[in-house]
Amino acid sequence: MDNIAWMAWTLPTAIFFVALACTLAVMTWLAAVYPEAERVGILRIPTTRGDRLFISLILAAVIHLAWIGLVGSDTIATLPIGEDGFEISSLWLASVISLASAVAIFRTV
């Protein structure tokens, strides 16, 4: 673990990377089982599932960076788990917004 000590391995970071790996695995499985067909959405350009995933990941990064810059990452609640409790960051709200925007992108773009 010393070679990755530079990374801030927190629970949200771990959840993000696990979710990203699962998303890529599901997208690979979908591409193998159901071949993709390009479709034209509100952007008026042909996009595939991979294109829409890329757009949603870039938008999630922008949403999180804007959230940190405008709102911050302060604790909004503390759950009574363990000795000190489990703090819930306001970044979880940015994650919910990102997830909702990804659903919208996959349905409309």
Side-chain angles (χ1 to χ4, degrees):
M1 286 294 279
D2 291 336
N3 59 347
I4 60 170
W6 59 271
M7 180 69 177
W9 287 104
T10 61
L11 181 61
T13 305
I15 290 172
F16 170 77
F17 282 110
V18 168
L20 185 60
C22 290
T23 301
L24 291 174
V26 167
M27 293 293 284
T28 302
W29 176 78
L30 283 173
V33 175
Y34 305 106
E36 353 184 22
E38 292 183 342
R39 71 175 197 206
V40 177
I42 61 170
L43 292 180
R44 301 291 178 224
I45 58 172
T47 60
T48 63
R49 282 189 294 255
D51 298 332
R52 292 186 291 275
L53 176 64
F54 180 74
I55 292 169
S56 64
L57 289 175
I58 294 297
L59 184 59
V62 169
I63 289 170
H64 278 82
L65 289 174
W67 189 275
I68 290 170
L70 299 173
V71 178
S73 60
D74 296 331
T75 300
I76 57 174
T78 302
L79 299 176
I81 299 174
E83 291 181 18
D84 297 327
F86 181 74
E87 296 180 348
I88 299 176
S89 170
S90 68
L91 286 175
W92 286 106
L93 296 175
S95 297
V96 169
I97 294 169
S98 296
L99 185 60
S101 68
V103 169
I105 286 171
F106 269 87
R107 295 188 59 80
T108 62
V109 173

